[in-house]
Amino acid sequence: MTKQRLLLSTLLLCLSLPGGAQTTAPPLTLPDTPVGKAVSLFVKALNSGSLKELQKFHTDRGGDAGMADGDLNFYQQSGGIDFLKVAKATDFEIDIEAKTRTGGRAVVLHFAVEPQPPYTVADIGVRPLAGGPGPEVGPSRSAAEVIAGAPAVIDDAVAAGFSGVVLIAKDGLTVIERAAGFANRSFDVKNRMDTKFNLGSINKTFTRLAVAQLVESGKLSFDDKLGRLLPDFPNADSAAKITVNQLLEMKSGIGDFFGREFDATPKDRIRKLADYLPFFSAKPLAFEPGTAEAYSNGGYVTLGLIIEKVSGQSYYDYVREHIYKPAGMTDTDAFEVDAIVRNLAVGYTKRGKTELSSNVYSLPARGSSAGGGYSTVQDLLKYAEAVVANRLASPAYTAWYLGGPQPVKGGAPRPGGPMRGGLGVAGGSPGVNGVLELNAGQRLVIVVLANDDPPAAEAVARKIRLGR
């Protein structure tokens, strides 16, 4: 029985505002071992961007062709990878430092095969390279340059078939907005500026802020152990080690809830946060808490359960009352897929097919604190403005949320001064892609939401930001 993890497309979804140029590293000679040969063929299939080639790679080794879907999702976010160097290797397991072709982000690809022919893939994982070089940053651009260049980028995207909505705002005022494509292709319903889109992992940014609110109010601490907060968590040994901060920073070792069990479960049974627990909570940790970093949807579901425990409210009620309502976000919620919701975009995907189809069968009945809620571009602008105005947290906790140092308990707030930092968050899954970017210093907001496969929205947002 193999234990392969999907290559996580969402590794790249917590974006920093600077973008990167596409680069190609010099060829790297891999060891002449079973794992060296396998990883070479895998990356060749990955970089082809072909679902068929990825499926063939897995089936040729006695594996599951379904694993190729996650690999392709990662390709769509990363543009593929180029090897930098072998960090460590045995005959059947290898860690390779690499760089993503989109964004130039330094990552570690972990790859393992079974120790007998046909050397079936046993494990694939990708994590950020600790202490490694950051993304290759292009020239700094002013808000005026971004705004001036955006219309041409949007025109090109629409001409190429972009389906979604774009909004750019400066100092709280919308300066560019554009809707294109269809919210519902069956009935020829066009996307509008107030159409509600699935946000994917953008919901994690609301969860992160909710935790900050509860820490600030004294109901939580960044150093609290998971076991103290959720004594019934199924993996007691893990819960005794993991802290709230490790969950926030994706250093807990908790993995994903996506996988074969999730795929095989009727999605109408997944309607509350506790319904996600069986897909990940009892599994061994991927690493000792605090020793590494890996994208974790399960970790953010766990944070949602902590929010429910300490607040006495459901996660959905908490964020609605403490984030959406004070920010004025009237069109944002985790709508159930079988609810009647006006002006909601249907997601369309080509994942594993040659023609577009609805993504309805891949969606849980309700999203979670890790993703899957809905919003509009106007509501996300309202959210960004509420953040920079310190309406959702105090200046000290807002500064932390925007990338500053963690507030010291009982310490003085940060000195006043210009707002710095920002947000760069995105979400993606079959038929879902969205980006929210906030440059707090320039008061510049870019929101792109699409009801197509990644990187439909991310590609547009990146070109708007970088001008290329």
Side-chain angles (χ1 to χ4, degrees):
M1 178 68 70
T2 63
K3 58 168 185 171
Q4 180 181 7
R5 295 197 303 269
L6 293 179
L7 277 173
L8 300 176
S9 66
T10 40
L11 168 75
L12 304 178
L13 297 187
C14 290
L15 302 172
S16 57
L17 283 176
Q22 186 167 328
T23 62
T24 301
L28 175 70
T29 301
L30 294 172
D32 187 19
T33 59
V35 74
K37 294 174 182 176
V39 75
S40 177
L41 292 171
F42 170 75
V43 171
K44 182 179 179 181
L46 175 75
N47 287 348
S48 74
S50 166
L51 179 63
K52 183 177 179 180
E53 290 298 316
L54 286 162
Q55 289 172 333
K56 184 176 185 299
F57 168 83
H58 289 290
T59 56
D60 282 353
R61 281 150 192 79
D64 181 357
M67 305 308 291
D69 284 345
D71 300 337
L72 183 63
N73 203 6
F74 176 76
Y75 168 79
Q76 290 172 329
Q77 301 301 320
S78 67
I81 61 174
D82 290 310
F83 295 138
L84 296 177
K85 71 175 184 177
V86 175
K88 61 180 181 180
T90 65
D91 284 354
F92 307 109
E93 191 168 352
I94 192 167
D95 281 2
I96 300 173
E97 294 180 11
K99 228 172 198 184
T100 63
R101 290 181 172 179
T102 298
R105 285 169 167 77
V107 298
V108 175
L109 169 65
H110 174 77
F111 200 94
V113 298
E114 298 291 351
Q116 64 279 328
Y119 305 115
T120 304
V121 176
D123 195 19
I124 301 177
V126 177
R127 66 180 187 273
L129 175 60
E136 297 165 351
V137 180
S140 177
R141 303 180 78 219
S142 68
E145 289 173 316
V146 169
I147 292 166
V153 172
I154 299 169
D155 286 345
D156 288 346
V158 172
F162 172 76
S163 178
V165 181
V166 181
L167 181 147
I168 303 174
K170 178 75 173 73
D171 298 325
L173 300 176
T174 298
V175 292
I176 294 175
E177 57 181 20
R178 181 85 173 268
F182 291 90
N184 190 309
R185 292 173 182 265
S186 297
F187 298 99
D188 292 335
V189 178
K190 293 184 178 181
N191 284 317
R192 308 185 328 203
M193 290 308 302
D194 60 348
T195 296
K196 304 175 186 72
F197 288 83
N198 191 315
L199 297 178
S201 286
I202 290 177
N203 282 101
K204 288 184 177 69
T205 201
F206 306 143
T207 301
R208 188 176 177 88
L209 185 56
V211 170
Q213 291 176 340
L214 291 167
V215 171
E216 184 173 6
S217 67
K219 294 181 179 180
L220 264 185
S221 163
F222 289 119
D223 296 323
D224 278 343
K225 292 287 176 47
L226 170 57
R228 186 184 80 79
L229 299 168
L230 298 179
D232 296 328
F233 192 80
N235 191 331
D237 290 341
S238 298
K241 306 174 185 177
I242 295 169
T243 67
V244 169
N245 192 60
Q246 288 166 346
L247 290 167
L248 287 166
E249 303 305 324
M250 300 196 183
K251 297 180 179 180
S252 70
I254 290 176
D256 213 331
F257 55 73
F258 292 116
R260 296 176 186 176
E261 294 175 9
F262 179 86
D263 292 342
T265 300
K267 301 302 182 287
D268 65 332
R269 298 180 185 175
I270 308 173
R271 293 183 181 269
K272 56 185 185 297
L273 296 192
D275 295 335
Y276 289 85
L277 267 177
F279 304 124
F280 69 89
S281 59
K283 295 178 180 178
L285 297 179
F287 49 82
E288 279 296 302
T291 64
E293 181 179 335
Y295 199 87
S296 175
N297 281 305
Y300 267 71
V301 168
T302 304
L303 285 170
L305 290 166
I306 291 172
I307 291 167
E308 292 187 335
K309 185 74 172 182
V310 302
S311 71
Q313 296 178 279
S314 76
Y315 170 81
Y316 309 105
D317 288 343
Y318 181 90
V319 292
R320 189 184 302 118
E321 179 179 336
H322 296 274
I323 294 179
Y324 304 156
K325 187 175 179 179
M329 302 165 68
T330 56
D331 288 321
T332 303
D333 212 331
F335 304 114
E336 294 181 280
V337 295
D338 49 1
I340 298 172
V341 181
R342 297 186 63 189
N343 199 19
L344 195 78
V346 174
Y348 293 96
T349 179
K350 282 189 177 179
R351 191 65 49 81
K353 303 177 181 178
T354 57
E355 300 294 330
L356 281 175
S357 62
S358 166
N359 68 351
V360 63
Y361 292 117
S362 69
L363 298 174
R366 195 176 196 184
S368 71
S369 46
Y374 290 80
S375 189
T376 66
V377 288
Q378 292 102 333
D379 268 12
L380 292 179
L381 172 59
K382 292 175 183 177
Y383 175 74
E385 288 302 306
V387 167
V388 298
N390 300 307
R391 299 209 315 267
L392 302 178
S394 69
Y397 280 86
T398 296
W400 167 80
Y401 175 70
L402 295 177
Q406 194 176 100
V408 178
K409 187 175 181 180
R414 288 182 77 184
M419 181 77 71
R420 290 187 172 86
L423 295 175
V425 293
S429 64
V432 175
N433 201 208
V435 177
L436 166 62
E437 297 186 358
L438 161 65
N439 184 317
Q442 295 193 57
R443 287 283 302 282
L444 178 68
V445 176
I446 301 170
V447 189
V448 186
L449 301 178
N451 55 332
D452 271 333
D453 289 330
E458 290 168 90
V460 174
R462 180 178 180 273
K463 288 179 182 177
I464 289 173
R465 176 170 25 93
L466 296 178
R468 51 182 168 78

